[in-house]
Amino acid sequence: MTATADLPGVSLEPLFRPASVAVVGATPDVLKPGGRCLQFLRQFGFAGELYAINPKYDEIAGVACFPDLESAPPCIDLVVLILPAPAIPAMLRRAAARGTRAAIVCSSGFSETGAQGAKLERELVAAAREGGLAVLGPNSLGLLDMNANLAATFSTVLQSDFIPAPGPIALVSQSGAMGAAIYGLAQMEGVGVGTFVSTGNEALLGLADYVRYLADRPDNRVILGYVEGVRDGAGLVAAGRYARARGKTVILLKAGVTEAGARAARSHTGALAGSAAVYEAAFRRAGILAARSPRELLDFGVACGAERLPAGPGVGIASMSGGAGTIISDRLIQLGMDVPDLVDGTRGALRALMPGFSAVGNPVDYGGVYTDPDRIEALARALAADPRVDTLLCFIGLSPLMLGVLDDRLERIRRDLRKPVVAAWLAGPPDAVRSLRARGIPAYEDPIRAAEAVAMMHAAARPLSQPTGSRTPTQCAGGRYAARPILADLAHTPEGVVSERETQGLLAAYGLPVVAVELARSRDEADRLARRFGGRVAIKAEADDLTHKSDIGAVALDVVPARAAEVFDRVVQAASAAAKAVRGAIISPMAPPGGLELIAGVKRDPQFGPVVAVGLGGVVSEALNDVSLELAPLTHDDALAMLGRLRGRALLGPFRGARARDVSAMADVLVALGQLSLDAGPSLLELDCNPVVVYQEGDGCLVLDAVAVIQTSKEVRPS
């Protein structure tokens, strides 16, 4: 079980499963971090060798205390360092020299404090790398793993009334305080969070490393995370996919998703590909599920931590209240789940169990027999056994005398039928939800929370799209190789916006259908080119660093050839007031009528790399904000799914008597854009095709306008 690719041979096993632990900076004073950490290790049953390191004491609370590491026994697996920050790098070197393999650095005073702290953190990293140490932190609350009786933390969350318990859920948090609060809430509500990791500054080990390690542990079924920033986006995506391949579910609560999206961008695509949408796309690629609040994070953890996930979307609802059944059904349908009609055999079995006045269907209203637990069990069992039902959701209201009665029966149904059972017990006895959860049944006070948990269980059970390897669209006849000279030329282009004409040439080399463009450097040349095209034309100024041309009057459409010279003068004059180095205007034929305008493009995200975007609206795309994102590379199916997620997707199908649009051709455009962005590398910041006109099925599509934004600080390396 190794850490990261750049830390070969470093294992996280001694961090989570040490045979021996030393607390460096231990003290008898439990009001101080060193005292609390030592106390918790003793109190919660750490079974290995435990040592304290402090020159002031010979013994602390029955634990042998040594003046320094050199005096303690050698080869201690894990050291917990609670020392002033400047002492940490040297202490890591001393620990490594004594055979230590892992360290938890609780000390603060590193990169979170500014430039001087960042320098100290680099020294910490160097010391850890030299010694081959797995380091949690710095600035960490530590690690708690009750599946191994390891409480290597000084967090005051363990001073609460609850007794920490083992469980199949792990919690990894980049915020110590928030993570501890979520962990405490989990313990109070009977959520089986057995492992809590406070990652701190993640100087060496990051979120992806902990996800990958925990995915390999047989005692974890779910990995929850509170995330504030992702440094290694590709690593997180790979770790998420690895966890899913191991049968584990990763659910993250991401804070701070709007800052990057609020920054101005130089293309429509850049404005559309906001941070929240990019994270959504990255999580989708990784198979990571998203929560919106700490409560939801735990709710989904309970659901996905169940022993069995649903085989399909069908939900059978057994409800004491007809009203509750209705609101549960509504929410499930809103979430894309199915509340199916029941087969005749199930309806007959239910009819035999229900009073004559009761309606028999799904949801099943068992209010007429709510005082008869045997009959409730029988009808719930019949409902769960229906072949169209993949999950049983049972609603209970009040019923204080049913504690220990209905929960026992639901557990039997879950065990016998081998299908997930979820419960909502509204205004029930205080221990109702905890009792159900203890029996392996995801349970909630609120029926809406129960419905949302069922939908998340179904999402966790869906297979990931495979494969996601790169491929060039079939219509691109060796385009990536033909494009190499163009990509190489971009490396020598002044940093900023690449002209429309150059961008169109790059797109054409990748097989994208682009409108013909010609550069006119004078009004006479504009007149000649317009007449050569033989019909109405578009005239757009061409200049360095000029985007959103229509906003400044540098674009004219539907121009008759006889007015081309006059219009040329007008658009060039408009561009001259807003840009430098105006080279003239490009002339292109007007596109055939009848197409639907879309926007498509790519943007390089600093965490996750190239992101492909598609949206409806052409010039008003940013106002409509109907956009779908996916990480590059794309398969054809990925691209079709992107189009299917648009809110305005109905416009792509048969609509008001018109044939369906050529979505397959549009999908090829998206695949090619994804491949182009990978080939171009980090120099290509954004590329915007706006609009792309999509014609009826079989008639293809056409890119009418395009612009690229590059940086030349890094060399383009065409693959």
Side-chain angles (χ1 to χ4, degrees):
M1 297 182 184
T2 59
T4 59
D6 63 346
L7 292 172
V10 174
S11 170
L12 271 67
E13 194 70 3
L15 185 62
F16 283 81
R17 294 292 188 270
S20 52
V21 177
V23 180
V24 183
T27 169
D29 187 351
V30 295
L31 297 179
K32 295 181 178 179
R36 285 198 300 274
C37 182
L38 189 65
Q39 177 195 34
F40 294 152
L41 283 163
R42 294 176 56 253
Q43 179 179 345
F44 296 109
F46 176 63
E49 297 295 327
L50 181 60
Y51 307 104
I53 307 295
N54 191 321
K56 297 180 180 179
Y57 309 100
D58 296 325
E59 173 266 341
I60 298 176
V63 176
C65 187
F66 299 89
D68 49 44
L69 276 175
E70 288 74 15
S71 305
C75 300
I76 296 171
D77 279 346
L78 171 65
V79 294
V80 183
L81 304 184
I82 307 176
L83 300 168
I88 296 298
M91 189 60 70
L92 289 175
R93 289 187 172 92
R94 291 165 61 186
R98 296 283 293 170
T100 292
R101 298 184 294 159
I104 297 174
V105 181
C106 299
S107 315
S108 57
F110 292 90
S111 60
E112 79 279 5
T113 63
Q116 189 61 34
K119 179 177 181 293
L120 189 60
E121 189 165 306
R122 289 193 293 271
E123 294 175 14
L124 177 155
V125 169
R129 288 184 182 279
E130 290 168 14
L133 292 170
V135 175
L136 169 62
N139 193 28
S140 166
L141 289 183
L143 184 154
L144 173 69
D145 191 346
M146 294 313 298
N147 297 320
N149 294 322
L150 177 68
T153 177
F154 65 91
S155 173
T156 56
V157 69
L158 293 184
Q159 294 176 330
S160 302
D161 292 336
F162 59 77
I163 299 175
I169 301 172
L171 171 64
V172 182
S173 178
Q174 291 180 334
S175 165
M178 178 61 78
I182 295 172
Y183 175 81
L185 180 63
Q187 298 301 316
M188 289 186 287
E189 295 194 351
V191 180
V193 176
T195 304
F196 167 47
V197 184
S198 164
T199 68
N201 293 2
E202 300 186 359
L204 282 100
L205 300 174
L207 176 65
D209 302 308
Y210 299 113
V211 168
R212 186 176 284 271
Y213 173 81
L214 292 166
D216 276 330
R217 294 222 64 90
D219 47 24
N220 288 318
R221 288 199 291 268
V222 179
I223 303 163
L224 306 180
Y226 174 81
V227 183
E228 293 178 344
V230 175
R231 297 179 186 174
D232 180 11
L236 179 60
V237 170
R241 294 186 70 85
Y242 180 80
R244 285 293 293 269
R246 303 285 292 172
K248 310 299 172 71
T249 303
V250 182
I251 309 170
L252 300 183
L253 169 59
K254 174 66 177 71
V257 296
T258 59
E259 179 182 353
R263 290 199 297 265
R266 287 184 284 181
S267 75
H268 291 282
T269 301
L272 290 170
S275 180
V278 173
Y279 271 97
E280 182 181 337
F283 286 5
R284 182 169 53 248
R285 175 63 58 88
I288 293 172
L289 307 179
R292 297 167 298 180
S293 68
R295 171 76 67 184
E296 199 171 73
L297 185 69
L298 292 177
D299 280 357
F300 294 165
V302 169
C304 297
E307 291 183 6
R308 191 173 300 276
L309 294 175
V315 184
I317 304 169
S319 177
M320 180 185 292
S321 156
T326 299
I327 65 171
I328 291 170
S329 297
D330 286 345
R331 187 63 183 133
L332 287 169
I333 297 301
Q334 290 169 355
L335 294 167
M337 301 297 287
D338 185 24
V339 183
D341 292 334
L342 306 174
V343 300
D344 290 342
T346 303
R347 296 172 73 90
L350 292 172
R351 194 171 289 112
L353 292 165
M354 303 282 282
F357 59 82
S358 300
V360 176
N362 187 20
V364 177
D365 180 355
Y366 68 85
V369 297
Y370 78 97
T371 59
D372 186 342
D374 292 333
R375 194 173 296 190
I376 294 171
E377 179 182 357
L379 66 87
R381 186 178 291 271
L383 177 61
D386 189 285
R388 297 175 180 173
V389 169
D390 302 297
T391 303
L392 173 67
L393 199 166
C394 186
F395 173 80
I396 309 164
L398 301 173
S399 306
L401 300 181
M402 290 294 182
L403 182 62
V405 180
L406 286 183
D407 38 2
D408 279 347
R409 284 163 166 76
L410 291 176
E411 182 183 11
R412 281 202 295 266
I413 293 171
R414 177 188 64 80
R415 185 179 61 244
D416 295 347
L417 295 183
R418 302 179 66 80
K419 288 184 180 181
V421 176
V422 176
W425 199 325
L426 181 64
D431 292 332
V433 168
R434 291 183 65 95
S435 176
L436 285 160
R437 289 178 175 176
R439 290 166 167 78
I441 297 170
Y444 309 89
E445 294 90 351
D446 184 341
I448 296 300
R449 287 168 58 195
E452 291 170 348
V454 170
M456 191 57 69
M457 293 172 76
H458 179 246
R462 284 198 298 263
L464 292 178
S465 62
Q466 297 285 352
T468 57
S470 67
R471 70 177 178 87
T472 307
T474 55
Q475 86 275 20
C476 180
R480 62 189 298 189
Y481 303 105
R484 279 179 172 174
I486 302 174
L487 291 171
D489 286 345
L490 288 183
H492 305 292
T493 302
E495 186 167 332
V497 178
V498 180
S499 73
E500 177 182 347
R501 187 166 49 92
E502 291 173 308
T503 306
Q504 294 278 57
L506 181 59
L507 295 177
Y510 271 77
L512 276 78
V514 297
V515 69
V517 294
E518 294 283 356
L519 176 62
R521 294 177 175 82
S522 67
R523 64 194 322 274
D524 291 342
E525 204 169 5
D527 178 79
R528 179 176 58 80
L529 289 171
R531 293 181 189 278
R532 193 181 78 187
F533 281 129
R536 293 175 181 264
V537 295
I539 302 180
K540 309 170 190 176
E542 169 140 309
D544 291 339
D545 243 5
L546 183 61
T547 57
H548 307 320
K549 300 174 185 178
S550 60
D551 295 346
I552 62 168
V555 173
L557 304 176
D558 213 27
V559 179
V560 296
R563 297 191 59 222
E566 168 197 340
V567 173
F568 172 90
D569 289 339
R570 188 171 75 240
V571 299
V572 168
Q573 183 178 4
S576 298
K580 53 192 175 183
V582 178
R583 288 182 291 276
I586 58 173
I587 315 297
S588 58
M590 291 297 297
L596 175 68
E597 288 190 356
L598 271 68
I599 178 174
V602 291
K603 177 186 177 181
R604 177 165 288 275
D605 182 81
Q607 280 76 43
F608 296 102
V611 180
V612 183
V614 64
L616 290 172
V619 295
V620 294
S621 55
E622 291 170 43
L624 294 177
N625 197 29
D626 186 7
V627 64
S628 179
L629 304 183
E630 194 66 68
L631 302 189
L634 305 182
T635 66
H636 194 75
D637 287 343
D638 291 334
L640 290 174
M642 289 177 68
L643 294 167
R645 286 195 295 270
L646 294 172
R647 295 194 304 274
R649 59 189 173 274
L651 297 173
L652 295 168
F655 187 73
R656 297 179 68 90
R659 298 203 319 268
R661 301 289 169 174
D662 201 334
V663 292
S664 182
M666 187 64 209
D668 280 335
V669 167
L670 298 175
V671 172
L673 287 172
Q675 187 61 59
L676 189 162
S677 67
L678 292 172
D679 293 346
S683 290
L684 181 64
L685 298 179
E686 299 173 18
L687 193 153
D688 190 28
C689 301
N690 184 25
V692 183
V693 179
V694 186
Y695 294 100
Q696 292 182 343
E697 201 166 28
D699 293 336
C701 55
L702 189 61
V703 179
L704 300 188
D705 197 349
V707 65
V709 181
I710 66 167
Q711 64 174 0
T712 55
S713 55
K714 297 180 181 178
E715 184 182 353
V716 176
R717 300 183 185 275
S719 58

